[in-house]
Amino acid sequence: MTGVLSIREHAWVLPGILTILAPVLVAFWALRRLRSQRLALRELRARFRETLDSCEDLLGRLALLEPAARVAALAPPPPGGRASGAEQEYVNLRESLRQVEESLLQGEGEWQIGRYDRLASRLSNLWAHLDTIRGGIDRLDRDLAAVGPVPAPEAAELLERRAGQEHEARAGQETEIRARCEREAPRLLARARHPASAAGEWAAARLGRAEASLAEALEALAAGDLVGADRGSRLARALAGGTVRLSESGLLIEPPAGRGPWAGFAAACREARVPPRVGLGWTLAAMALVGAAGNWVGHRLTFRSTEVRVSGSNLALRAPAQASHALDLAHTGARAVDGDLATTWQSGVSLAEPQAVVIDLGKPHPIGKVLVLPQAAPPGRCTWEIDLSADSWEWARSGKATAVCGPAHSRWGITEAATGSKARFVRVRPTDWGRSGVAVAEIRVFAPSSLVK
């Protein structure tokens, strides 16, 4: 009888599935994380811009109230009341808004180093602070409306005197103001035009305000109004410089220039503040690593194939077998030689007691190899020794074998008998079976010429 005996079928299905499925799952997880990061940072960017807009809106409202607040103290106090403190309230509100501006600058630094949680917390606190300032501006507006009429000559004189003081203070800075109007602010505007036009309506509107402020500053400078030139150029510089700064830090996002998978992926990475090539490289590396790990795990979870070429039959098939111990009548030693891998010999005791299973081949046979398929729980390594005898009284050690064993997924162990070995009785003696009782699914015995690996 000649043929191929497949001791265990090739098990490539599970490793193949894990090799393909695991990288796909990693890629899906990476894309989900990228999308989640994009949405979170998109919301954070919008929150930052809303806070900045709210701060600038309140600054504009407060600037409109400045002249009235300056002259409110000249109004006669109400009967039994005190002079208006609107000017001091205006100063306090302006200082509060300046602190908000400084806090926003610190928030830009937190964004650049990736402290998104701290930036989100900062913006929440700033919104509460801006609500308080907004309430203070509303109250100042009501107080100024309730102030009695201010003598026109005195108000005009006070405002003129204040304007003169401011002009004198700016006189020593004329060179600096002129340089800001003619060189610094235009240069910042030129840098801001490309990111502003590419980033959307919000940045474009901001750039338009900066250009209008610079135009007003240049007109004031030509008219000799250093105060107006100073204020306009400062506002233009702040708007243009802020746009450039927000663009460089990533708080402004440009839409993808072209279409296609790579352009979309690169745009998503930029929005999520992940370098596209780094994100793709790490994803591919993780997919390769997980695919290799999945393949390895799949092989560990499945039986390895063991094919042997035979020219004879299994000498131990359905031969009389006697075990030293048996768990019950359904797990006797005969179950190890019945040809059914679903049945097992189970001793029911630990290796604290010596135990074995003896197979009677009926007559002496030349012995080539003895194959044993062990089982154990928990999984581990099982070791056993093979003894041969002609009369079951005197035994000769033939060899030992070790194999990976588990409750279901085990590997065959093969023991090669010495050349010229001949025996009627074959004994399998377990020597190491982990913490579980001994269990053997199948024992097969072949003559020397019957088995070629």
Side-chain angles (χ1 to χ4, degrees):
M1 172 180 166
T2 303
V4 176
L5 170 65
S6 180
I7 294 177
R8 184 60 62 183
E9 293 296 332
H10 284 282
W12 294 106
V13 176
L14 182 58
I17 291 175
L18 291 179
T19 303
I20 296 173
L21 185 60
V24 171
L25 292 177
V26 168
F28 179 74
W29 173 82
L31 290 176
R32 286 293 301 270
R33 286 294 302 271
L34 181 65
R35 181 177 181 273
S36 176
Q37 180 83 341
R38 280 178 57 202
L39 294 178
L41 295 189
R42 182 182 297 177
E43 182 179 352
L44 192 59
R45 289 184 180 97
R47 188 74 166 170
F48 185 93
R49 293 196 295 264
E50 289 173 4
T51 306
L52 183 59
D53 285 343
S54 181
C55 179
E56 292 176 349
D57 179 64
L58 293 178
L59 281 170
R61 286 186 58 191
L62 197 59
L64 294 176
L65 298 177
E66 180 182 6
R70 295 292 189 188
V71 301
L74 299 178
R82 296 181 300 177
S84 173
E87 184 175 9
Q88 184 60 45
E89 188 174 357
Y90 163 81
V91 171
N92 293 339
L93 290 171
R94 184 62 187 83
E95 178 63 21
S96 297
L97 285 173
R98 188 188 63 80
Q99 293 175 2
V100 172
E101 290 178 316
E102 290 182 356
S103 186
L104 282 172
L105 286 175
Q106 295 173 7
E108 289 183 33
E110 291 170 347
W111 169 271
Q112 290 178 352
I113 61 177
R115 294 185 176 179
Y116 306 124
D117 292 340
R118 293 188 61 177
L119 176 57
S121 176
R122 178 185 296 275
L123 293 178
S124 297
N125 293 334
L126 287 180
W127 267 99
H129 195 184
L130 287 174
D131 285 340
T132 302
I133 295 174
R134 186 176 293 105
I137 293 177
D138 293 339
R139 186 173 57 253
L140 176 61
D141 195 8
R142 291 194 299 270
D143 292 345
L144 290 175
V147 170
V150 178
E154 296 182 13
E157 182 184 353
L158 176 61
L159 293 176
E160 185 178 354
R161 185 168 63 252
R162 289 288 180 87
Q165 292 172 352
E166 291 184 0
H167 185 81
E168 290 179 4
R170 301 296 190 281
Q173 305 172 357
E174 182 177 357
T175 303
E176 178 185 347
I177 294 172
R178 186 175 296 277
R180 191 187 311 131
C181 291
E182 296 176 349
R183 292 192 297 276
E184 184 180 356
R187 188 162 50 245
L188 280 174
L189 279 170
R191 286 182 58 191
R193 282 192 180 94
H194 172 70
S197 60
E201 296 181 359
W202 184 84
R206 190 178 180 83
L207 182 64
R209 289 166 51 199
E211 291 175 342
S213 297
L214 179 59
E216 293 174 1
L218 290 173
E219 290 179 2
L221 184 64
D225 182 7
L226 295 179
V227 175
D230 182 47
R231 290 180 180 176
S233 62
R234 286 182 183 276
L235 180 57
R237 183 180 63 178
L239 291 172
T243 302
V244 172
R245 199 170 58 248
L246 295 179
S247 176
E248 292 176 348
S249 66
L251 281 165
L252 293 179
I253 288 297
E254 300 179 14
R259 295 181 179 180
W262 172 250
F265 178 77
C269 287
R270 286 196 299 270
E271 193 170 355
R273 298 202 74 199
V274 177
R277 297 187 184 278
V278 173
L280 182 61
W282 276 109
T283 301
L284 293 178
M287 290 173 66
L289 180 62
V290 172
N295 186 278
W296 181 81
V297 170
H299 280 292
R300 295 286 293 181
L301 293 177
T302 55
F303 294 104
R304 283 186 180 275
S305 62
T306 303
E307 284 189 351
V308 293
R309 189 170 300 278
V310 298
S311 58
S313 60
N314 174 16
L315 301 176
L317 181 61
R318 299 186 183 87
Q322 183 67 38
S324 59
H325 302 78
L327 179 63
D328 50 39
L329 294 178
H331 298 88
T332 61
R335 300 296 183 180
V337 292
D338 59 1
D340 186 355
L341 300 183
T343 61
T344 58
W345 162 55
Q346 295 185 20
S347 67
V349 296
S350 67
L351 282 180
E353 300 182 36
Q355 49 197 284
V357 60
V358 178
I359 304 169
D360 183 0
L361 302 181
K363 63 179 182 180
H365 289 275
I367 304 299
K369 287 181 174 61
V370 180
L371 284 67
V372 178
L373 181 60
Q375 288 188 353
R381 301 191 73 84
C382 300
T383 303
W384 58 89
E385 293 181 349
I386 303 296
D387 301 326
L388 303 178
S389 175
D391 54 12
S392 76
W393 290 99
E394 294 184 3
W395 294 90
R397 176 86 54 86
S398 177
K400 67 177 184 178
T402 299
V404 175
C405 51
H409 304 293
S410 301
R411 297 180 188 171
W412 287 83
I414 301 177
T415 302
E416 298 192 19
T419 304
S421 296
K422 190 174 183 180
R424 172 181 174 180
F425 297 92
V426 177
R427 183 171 67 182
V428 179
R429 290 189 300 107
T431 58
D432 186 5
W433 227 265
R435 298 191 301 273
S436 64
V438 174
V440 174
E442 188 73 10
I443 300 173
R444 294 175 180 175
V445 181
F446 293 92
S449 60
S450 301
L451 184 60
V452 180
K453 269 195 92 173

